[in-house]
Amino acid sequence: MDFRLLGRVGAATGAEELQLGPVKRRSVLAALLLKANSAVPVEQLIAALWDDAPPTHARTVVQGHVSRLRALLASAGAGEHGVGLMTQGPSYVFEVPETLLDTCRFERLARRGRLRQRPADAVAVLGEALALWHGPALDGTAPSAPLRAAAQTLEEARLDVVESLAVAHERLGDRAGAVAVLQAEAAAHPLCESLAEALILALYRAGRRSDALDRYHRVRCLLADELGVGPGPGLRGAYETALRGGPVGAGGGGPVSPLPAPGAGPAPVPDARYEADARYEMAGRYEADALLLAPAGRPPAPAGPAPRLLPRGVRGFLGRGTELAALDRITGAGNGAVALVTGPAGVGKTALALQWAHHRQARYPGGTLFADLRGFGGVPVEPAETVREFLIALGVPARDLPDSSAAAAALYRELTARRALLVVLDNARGTDQVRSLLPSGTGSAVLVTSRIRLSGLIVEELARPVPLDVLGPVPATELLAAAVGEERVAAEPEAADRLARLCDGLPLALRITAAQLAARPHWRLADLAAELADEQRRLALLSLDEAEESGVAAALRITVQGLPPEAVRLFALLGVVPGPDLERYAAAALLGRDPAVAAEALDRLAGAHLVTEYAPGRYSTHDLVRLYARGLGTDEGALLRLLDGYTATALAASLAAEPGEKPCCTLPREAPADAPVRTFADRPAALRWYAVERENLAAAVTAARAAGHDDRAWRLAVLQWPYVVWSVRDGWAPLLEQALEASRLLDDPDAESRVRALLGWVLTREGQLSEALAQLELAPALAARAHDPSSEAIALVNLAVALDADGITDASLRHVTRAVRLAREAQDVLTELLALQHRTHQLLARGDIAAAERCTAYALALDDHGVTTGLGALRRAALRLSRSEALLALGEREAAESCTRQALAEAASQGFQEGVNRARSQLEALGRPVDLPAAPKGGDRPVRS
């Protein structure tokens, strides 16, 4: 087992994570593990769970969480690992070997690392200690004073190890490594003077003198702004060392000192920039920055106060650790980094931006600017208006504001060039809204949120996108618990999980749901889940106030506004799509337009996060988006166009997969003949399309039946026959049963015969012989009524295969003989090969070896018009194997070996594993070496259609 406090509090057995449940239970575990193997009074656990006055039933709550932890540990076999949760009077003792607790392992490694004499060993051991951390200590626990204090103590221990690791890198001579170790931590702890001191010296030793001086100035301003104090002696000493180029102690020398060597003459005049640094330190005023950064010959612009314009953050913010870390990485790179948070309406972009900005604004001593650009909802804010507001915030009196927008923007650039600012631009609709608001200083950072992709910002300003998706099941449930109370959610865990799924994990929908539950304390979670399950009412329920038109539907409507007409039209048709996703050809069929137009519309919808491109060229929608689109009113012909698009593409795929086979159907008479259809380069491409589109095609069959388009339903099912043949044991019967019902309603003997023949063959391969015969005995007569000899021949062969499962019968022999004659009369060589293949099998089974040899010789001499792939090649391989058996039985060993090797090559080239195995067995029976060709992946490939 493994218990973790260095990051998100957790426990695991092997690779399986224990589901600890709500925050308070995780907090109880953390409080016990912090004093592992010692008695922890119940009062201390209560203090760890509630930061303010605990409720009257607090002791009962703690006892309940302890009881559930015991049950969880017991189910995980904790006793086998020496782990137990014991009661000791009014206290609890969590017994656990120290090796199973990450804090103990961390302390042990830290001690060992500091004692290592060889720098390389120290680096390795200390790095191993830090690798145990997976985020802030005690993450996921209640924000109580005891747990906050414990987390702070652990964090301080970690920072001590970080500084020790940097020293070990210095001893090793790896100065860049020392800088890298310290830089990330100094950014995360900007007020920690010891880290700043170590980083300044490490930068100086690495030859980065200007970076060291810049770091000192940032920390000095930050200490003054946040704490009202100046730098301590250690920090000032590091600054003076970097400024004067003095010695840095045993860690290694820095750059060449500007002090003269003995007898070398007078010292050089110090660089003017570093003289300015000295004046900066003595004056302690912001104007020194202006002196350093103002262009030559121009007086510096007046310095202003450090604004703090951030609005209050969102209460109950949970999770998003990955995205917050991404923002840290992007902004930590410096150089005026621009981070772009994008995601669908209601996903929590603003909440994420404010959460990060509130916790990181201390890094930016120049101040924090914020503007809601109202790109979605209300009248968008003009950039010039925001520039004027920012100038006032930066200390420019209103009376001194420039008259023109261009002059105001120029002044904004000048003022921001000398400040380290954090600028948060929320709810942007386009790059033009953002461009003039970007600060010009490289020490600043910008955070932009938008519902659309803002590709222009990515191209022009090298913005780094941070996509934000809906919440997963666990954080979604945690958000509900934070809003309505953990006890209420813990009482109905299944209902809470269902609510999270019905809300699509969308934070806006989850918060509205929580508000509804809070307003109805007598409701069970299951009651609201039952209400939301009604798709007709779900969006209405997920609105705060219909009069104000707020909620999920309103957010989606605002997002759609302003999109190009074709994108809006395609969005309105998304509710028609029956399957889980679509690509540009399906979208083109919906629109009745060219695939290029559809691709552009899909890209615009993806850019607005109304659809998700989860794989290249494939787009899906969340359920709430689909419900909203469904309510917009649809083009009545859209579903039929989509069905015809799928049918035409499936027909093209079947012809590409089996180029020698006759088409099993044509397009419906009313289907447009000139509709754009995907083309397939070869057989593998067609089979890949079948695999990718299988769920969509199955959903299309169901939708076609529901809409009364039975002529499309049976075609969409039967046209998948090449893929059915490839993966026959993959549960095709339900789909084909729907197709059978559609064909019967049409009273179409051709359709019914084809469906029954394919369904019967599938059932035969599944071992359901009685059910298979019920279908196959009807198929030949139906094909005869439809006057299609090839279809009748296939049906007869499939019937014979089912009959022969229990031994060759005279009836099956007659069926195959008739099938051979019908295919020959129709000049359908591939179907004749199918019939002859089974005929050979029957002759071999009855011991008529000479007849079997003659049958295979005749079959292999047939001209199949050069078909070298697909079922034609497989049937030839199977016939060669049967011929080899006959030749071997006749004593012609060399001819048998040659025939077998030809069959082996053909079977391997087509991924026909059953044929490969038969060929290998026959070569082994001949006592010949088996040089097995490399076969493409495909598994057991049947040969009969």
Side-chain angles (χ1 to χ4, degrees):
M1 295 193 76
D2 180 48
F3 294 92
R4 299 185 303 276
L5 297 176
L6 305 180
R8 186 169 180 82
V9 173
T13 55
E16 184 178 354
E17 187 74 18
L18 300 188
Q19 300 302 312
L20 296 178
V23 170
K24 284 188 169 57
R25 192 172 309 150
R26 198 180 299 271
S27 304
V28 169
L29 176 63
L32 291 168
L33 288 175
L34 285 167
K35 296 187 176 182
N37 302 309
S38 301
V40 182
V42 173
E43 287 73 16
Q44 289 187 16
L45 295 178
I46 292 174
L49 265 58
W50 287 276
D51 203 25
D52 47 12
T56 55
H57 62 289
R59 185 176 293 271
T60 303
V61 172
V62 169
Q63 290 170 346
H65 286 307
V66 169
S67 176
R68 291 183 179 88
L69 282 173
R70 280 177 172 154
L72 185 64
L73 292 169
S75 66
E80 300 173 7
H81 301 274
V83 176
L85 180 48
M86 310 302 176
T87 302
Q88 192 176 96
S91 304
Y92 295 105
V93 179
F94 198 104
E95 296 180 349
V96 55
E98 289 189 351
T99 56
L100 303 184
L101 188 54
D102 62 353
T103 51
C104 295
R105 297 199 301 273
F106 173 74
E107 291 172 4
R108 186 172 63 254
L109 288 168
R111 286 195 301 270
R112 286 170 49 197
R114 292 189 180 103
L115 294 173
R116 286 289 189 268
Q117 296 300 314
R118 295 180 64 247
D121 293 343
V123 167
V125 176
L126 293 171
E128 185 181 353
L130 291 172
L132 293 172
W133 287 72
H134 299 285
L138 307 185
D139 187 26
T141 61
S144 63
L147 291 181
R148 285 200 306 270
Q152 180 62 30
T153 300
L154 289 170
E155 178 64 8
E156 290 171 0
R158 187 183 71 84
L159 293 179
D160 287 343
V161 174
V162 168
E163 294 184 29
S164 298
L165 178 60
V167 171
H169 275 290
E170 290 273 4
R171 290 168 53 207
L172 191 61
D174 181 10
R175 292 168 180 166
V179 170
V181 166
L182 293 166
Q183 208 156 25
E185 298 301 335
H189 299 274
L191 295 174
C192 180
E193 291 194 47
S194 64
L195 273 176
E197 176 187 343
L199 177 57
I200 289 168
L201 292 175
L203 286 168
Y204 171 59
R205 292 176 187 127
R208 297 170 58 182
R209 187 184 190 195
S210 60
D211 289 338
L213 296 171
D214 181 66
R215 173 65 59 175
Y216 172 77
H217 291 320
R218 290 192 185 195
V219 176
R220 186 192 64 77
C221 292
L222 191 58
L223 289 169
D225 289 346
E226 296 294 322
L227 303 178
V229 299
L235 190 56
R236 286 199 305 271
Y239 167 68
E240 290 168 2
T241 297
L243 179 64
R244 302 300 179 189
V248 292
V256 177
S257 171
L259 298 176
V269 177
D271 187 301
R273 182 175 179 88
Y274 298 113
E275 288 292 335
D277 274 321
R279 292 198 300 276
Y280 187 117
E281 174 62 16
M282 289 186 294
R285 298 197 308 271
Y286 190 74
E287 283 75 4
D289 274 334
L291 178 64
L292 287 174
L293 296 171
R298 180 186 298 180
R308 292 285 186 258
L309 300 187
L310 282 181
R312 181 177 65 82
V314 176
R315 295 187 185 278
F317 184 90
L318 293 171
R320 302 299 195 188
T322 300
E323 292 80 5
L324 291 169
L327 292 175
D328 277 336
R329 287 194 300 273
I330 293 169
T331 56
N335 299 319
V338 180
L340 174 60
V341 178
T342 61
V347 80
K349 300 179 293 297
T350 302
L352 174 74
L354 291 177
Q355 177 76 5
W356 183 85
H358 274 291
H359 284 79
R360 296 292 182 262
Q361 62 179 333
R363 296 180 180 177
Y364 303 95
T368 309
L369 301 175
F370 175 88
D372 179 1
L373 302 181
R374 297 201 298 271
F376 300 87
V379 178
V381 178
E382 291 295 327
E385 180 182 341
T386 306
V387 168
R388 291 172 66 85
E389 292 179 0
F390 282 1
L391 288 175
I392 292 173
L394 291 169
V396 179
R399 64 179 179 276
D400 294 337
L401 290 173
D403 294 330
S404 72
S405 299
L411 179 58
Y412 177 68
R413 290 194 296 273
E414 184 176 355
L415 287 178
T416 57
R418 64 173 187 246
R419 290 195 185 222
L421 286 162
L422 173 60
V423 180
V424 181
L425 304 173
D426 188 35
N427 205 10
R429 181 125 207 168
T431 303
D432 290 342
Q433 263 192 310
V434 172
R435 190 180 292 110
S436 62
L437 304 177
L438 302 179
S440 57
T442 57
S444 296
V446 181
L447 180 52
V448 183
T449 75
S450 181
R451 296 185 193 180
I452 58 179
R453 197 177 303 154
L454 296 188
S455 300
L457 197 65
I458 297 173
V459 173
E460 297 171 16
E461 304 295 339
L462 300 181
R464 297 278 300 281
V466 180
L468 197 61
D469 204 351
V470 297
L471 296 172
V474 173
T477 306
E478 288 179 349
L479 179 57
L480 278 177
V484 303
E486 292 179 3
E487 291 79 5
R488 201 169 172 186
V489 168
E492 297 182 80
E494 292 182 2
D497 181 66
R498 190 181 183 202
L499 280 175
R501 285 185 284 106
L502 289 169
C503 290
D504 254 358
L506 192 69
L508 173 62
L510 289 164
R511 288 181 179 275
I512 292 173
T513 298
Q516 301 226 15
L517 289 168
R520 299 173 176 85
H522 59 284
W523 274 38
R524 297 180 306 122
L525 271 64
D527 295 331
L528 185 54
E531 294 284 328
L532 286 174
D534 182 356
E535 293 187 350
Q536 303 300 319
R537 300 189 58 223
R538 191 179 306 167
L539 287 175
L541 289 168
L542 293 177
S543 297
L544 287 171
D545 188 336
E546 292 185 8
E548 297 178 3
E549 295 189 341
S550 59
V552 175
L556 290 171
R557 184 182 64 255
I558 292 169
T559 305
V560 174
Q561 291 172 353
L563 289 175
E566 286 295 352
V568 174
R569 181 167 170 251
L570 178 58
F571 178 74
L573 296 174
L574 291 179
V576 172
V577 178
D581 62 5
L582 77 165
E583 40 75 69
R584 63 189 179 110
Y585 281 93
L590 275 176
L591 288 170
R593 298 293 304 275
D594 186 86
V597 175
E600 173 65 21
L602 281 169
D603 187 64
R604 296 303 293 266
L605 292 179
H609 296 91
L610 293 167
V611 299
T612 301
E613 188 178 12
Y614 70 92
R618 302 205 67 83
Y619 300 83
S620 63
T621 60
H622 291 298
D623 286 344
L624 292 177
V625 176
R626 191 189 296 260
L627 286 177
Y628 177 73
R630 196 175 293 168
L632 295 178
T634 60
D635 176 350
E636 292 184 1
L639 176 61
L640 193 58
R641 290 196 300 271
L642 179 64
L643 295 175
D644 286 343
Y646 278 140
T647 304
T649 308
L651 181 58
S654 69
L655 295 175
E658 306 298 346
E661 295 279 350
K662 289 186 176 180
C664 65
C665 66
T666 59
L667 291 174
R669 286 192 300 272
E670 306 84 3
D674 57 348
V677 175
R678 176 187 291 274
T679 57
F680 299 95
D682 51 25
R683 171 184 175 77
L687 292 176
R688 283 195 299 272
W689 180 84
Y690 279 123
V692 170
E693 297 289 352
R694 178 174 176 178
E695 284 189 65
N696 286 324
L697 294 173
V701 170
T702 301
R705 293 232 51 230
H709 300 306
D710 291 309
D711 54 340
R712 273 73 174 176
W714 79 266
R715 285 177 166 85
L716 283 170
V718 172
L719 280 169
Q720 296 180 65
W721 73 265
Y723 191 59
V724 175
V725 169
W726 180 272
S727 52
V728 63
R729 299 181 182 90
D730 203 13
W732 294 100
L735 174 75
L736 294 171
E737 285 165 358
Q738 284 196 76
L740 178 59
E741 183 63 24
S743 66
R744 292 178 62 190
L745 289 173
L746 290 169
D747 193 21
D748 182 340
D750 178 59
E752 189 176 348
S753 70
R754 293 181 184 278
V755 175
R756 288 188 186 277
L758 185 56
L759 174 57
W761 182 74
V762 166
L763 292 170
T764 300
R765 295 304 297 263
E766 290 181 349
Q768 302 181 57
L769 291 179
S770 59
E771 294 86 347
L773 288 171
Q775 303 297 333
L776 293 169
E777 287 171 349
L778 299 175
L782 288 164
R785 277 180 54 197
H787 307 292
D788 189 325
S790 292
S791 180
E792 184 181 355
I794 291 172
L796 287 167
V797 172
N798 288 353
L799 174 58
V801 170
L803 290 171
D804 288 347
D806 293 325
I808 309 302
T809 64
D810 291 338
S812 69
L813 288 169
R814 290 193 300 272
H815 293 325
V816 174
T817 300
R818 176 169 172 75
V820 171
R821 187 173 66 253
L822 286 168
R824 189 173 301 161
E825 290 172 355
Q827 297 183 341
D828 184 351
V829 175
L830 289 181
T831 300
E832 187 177 357
L833 283 175
L834 171 66
L836 291 170
Q837 174 193 334
H838 193 64
R839 177 68 172 168
T840 304
H841 168 74
Q842 291 175 322
L843 292 170
L844 287 172
R846 299 193 71 161
D848 195 343
I849 306 302
E853 189 276 331
R854 290 194 301 272
C855 184
T856 56
Y858 169 78
L860 291 169
L862 289 174
D863 182 9
D864 59 1
H865 307 290
V867 175
T868 58
T869 62
L871 291 180
L874 298 187
R875 288 167 187 162
R876 287 188 172 279
L879 282 162
R880 290 190 198 281
L881 289 170
S882 296
R883 178 169 179 75
S884 174
E885 288 183 37
L887 290 170
L888 182 60
L890 293 172
E892 300 182 31
R893 297 177 63 86
E894 290 185 5
E897 179 183 353
S898 174
C899 195
T900 302
R901 293 197 180 279
Q902 283 183 277
L904 178 61
E906 287 177 334
S909 70
Q910 298 299 306
F912 176 28
Q913 193 60 39
E914 182 182 310
V916 169
N917 294 339
R918 282 183 61 193
R920 184 173 186 172
S921 297
Q922 288 178 209
L923 286 172
E924 290 172 350
L926 285 165
R928 297 292 189 264
V930 180
D931 299 322
L932 194 61
K937 294 182 180 179
D940 185 352
R941 173 67 187 272
V943 298
R944 298 181 180 87
S945 62

